[in-house]
Amino acid sequence: MCRWMAYSGDPALAEALLFRPAHSLINQSLHARLGAETTNGDGFGVGWFGDRPIPGVYKSVLPAWNDPNLREISREIRTPLLFAHVRASTGAAVQRSNCHPFRYRRWLWMHNGAIADYPRLKRDVMLAVDPSLYPEIEGTTDSEALFYLALTFGLREDPPGAVARTIGLVEDLGRRHGVPDPLQMTVATSEGESIWVFRYSSQGRTRSLFYSTDIAELRSLYPGLDVLQRLGTDARFVVSEPIHHLEGAWTEVPESSYAVVRPGAHELHPLVPVRKPEESTA
């Protein structure tokens, strides 16, 4: 499994977001507390939106704590929307194309979790991807496959609906192949304006996911904390596990739900798998 974080708000230096928090994502790459593994050293990636229509991406197969180039570029990147991911492989090779976030045109996607028994389901999963999208797949992970399924099912027009249909397909394939609980996922995706985050597992025991409390409320709770004064009032974080340990700073995303994070606001909704009518059960 993996750890990830997403930031939305006033433009901020990537270094401040990735390295400065007490339990930063870089720290979590060595010392995760809520993940399935303590160490997430099978590569990493960051994605950010700036002046160009296509987001920038930097990935490496080195552990995040041991790549000096990450520290260098993070001092130069100022962005209003950042994705960052540290990887613990569930079986796919440690190679750059398997590192998150994945990018298709303007969209970024990152995932923590797995499709259970993915080698058994992989052929049918890939056959469900739109043929026009299939050549864009670079790696071998189930995470990237989920991204291209979601794109196939309309991610660019309706992110919640596309992810709900993706879940429905994977769970149907799992039943066909005798995999009773095929999906475990926390996902973030963005086109540069909003961030959609999803928490779901077929077992109902999904990996952890949290979003940050309104900054104005935190400032009233901790008026002397300088780090809060440096963040804009629209700042929002979504994280696999908290990046600092201020009481009242984090709210857990409920099971089987999704959130939409926009500057200064967020919405929370239930997430229900969508299946084809003939595959629905009473």
Side-chain angles (χ1 to χ4, degrees), residues 1-278:
M1 300 301 172
C2 312
R3 303 279 84 184
W4 59 256
M5 66 157 285
Y7 166 80
S8 173
D10 290 348
L13 276 177
E15 180 185 40
L17 303 173
L18 294 174
F19 289 91
R20 291 180 189 169
H23 191 46
S24 69
L25 192 70
I26 307 306
N27 178 272
Q28 291 177 34
S29 66
L30 269 172
H31 305 295
R33 297 167 182 166
L34 301 180
E37 294 86 14
T38 301
T39 303
N40 298 272
D42 295 327
F44 70 89
V46 293
W48 66 95
F49 290 85
D51 296 331
R52 299 172 60 248
I54 304 299
V57 172
Y58 175 69
K59 302 181 184 184
S60 172
V61 297
L62 292 174
W65 69 83
N66 196 34
D67 187 336
N69 289 325
L70 176 60
R71 174 74 78 166
E72 287 290 329
I73 69 166
S74 70
R75 293 170 179 152
E76 305 300 327
I77 295 170
R78 187 175 294 274
T79 177
L81 201 159
L82 178 85
F83 276 19
H85 185 283
V86 291
R87 182 171 182 248
S89 173
T90 55
V94 179
Q95 59 193 46
R96 184 187 180 281
S97 60
N98 285 343
C99 294
H100 312 220
F102 303 102
R103 177 180 62 191
Y104 177 77
R105 298 183 181 174
R106 190 163 174 79
W107 286 82
L108 292 178
W109 172 282
M110 57 186 177
H111 167 237
N112 174 34
I115 298 176
D117 282 343
Y118 182 54
R120 293 171 61 187
L121 275 62
K122 183 177 180 179
R123 180 177 180 274
D124 287 342
V125 167
M126 288 301 179
L127 287 173
V129 173
D130 188 292
S132 67
L133 293 170
Y134 182 81
E136 303 294 331
I137 299 175
E138 296 181 348
T140 60
T141 65
D142 50 359
S143 300
E144 189 179 17
L146 288 170
F147 182 28
Y148 280 87
L149 282 177
L151 287 165
T152 296
F153 292 138
L155 180 70
R156 288 167 284 179
E157 296 77 33
D158 175 18
V163 171
R165 288 186 283 273
T166 296
I167 294 169
L169 174 75
V170 172
E171 291 192 325
D172 177 62
L173 292 177
R175 286 193 298 273
R176 293 185 199 173
H177 289 272
V179 181
D181 298 306
L183 187 59
Q184 168 82 233
M185 58 171 256
T186 65
V187 162
T189 189
S190 179
E191 86 303 27
E193 297 178 9
S194 300
I195 301 173
W196 288 267
V197 297
F198 303 86
R199 187 182 186 206
Y200 183 87
S201 77
S202 303
Q203 283 184 302
R205 295 197 298 272
T206 317
R207 305 301 179 195
S208 57
L209 190 64
F210 301 84
Y211 62 89
S212 61
T213 303
D214 178 80
I215 292 297
E217 183 178 341
L218 282 177
R219 286 174 179 164
S220 68
L221 290 172
Y222 301 97
L225 194 60
D226 182 60
V227 65
L228 297 177
Q229 306 306 318
R230 293 198 298 265
L231 290 172
T233 56
D234 288 344
R236 291 288 188 276
F237 292 88
V238 186
V239 296
S240 294
E241 60 185 77
I243 55 177
H244 52 68
H245 303 291
L246 300 177
E247 186 175 350
W250 301 97
T251 300
E252 188 169 12
V253 177
E255 290 278 357
S256 301
S257 64
Y258 75 92
V260 188
V261 179
R262 298 185 176 94
H266 70 270
E267 307 166 11
L268 195 61
H269 304 276
L271 176 60
V272 180
V274 174
R275 300 181 177 90
K276 293 180 181 179
E278 64 271 20

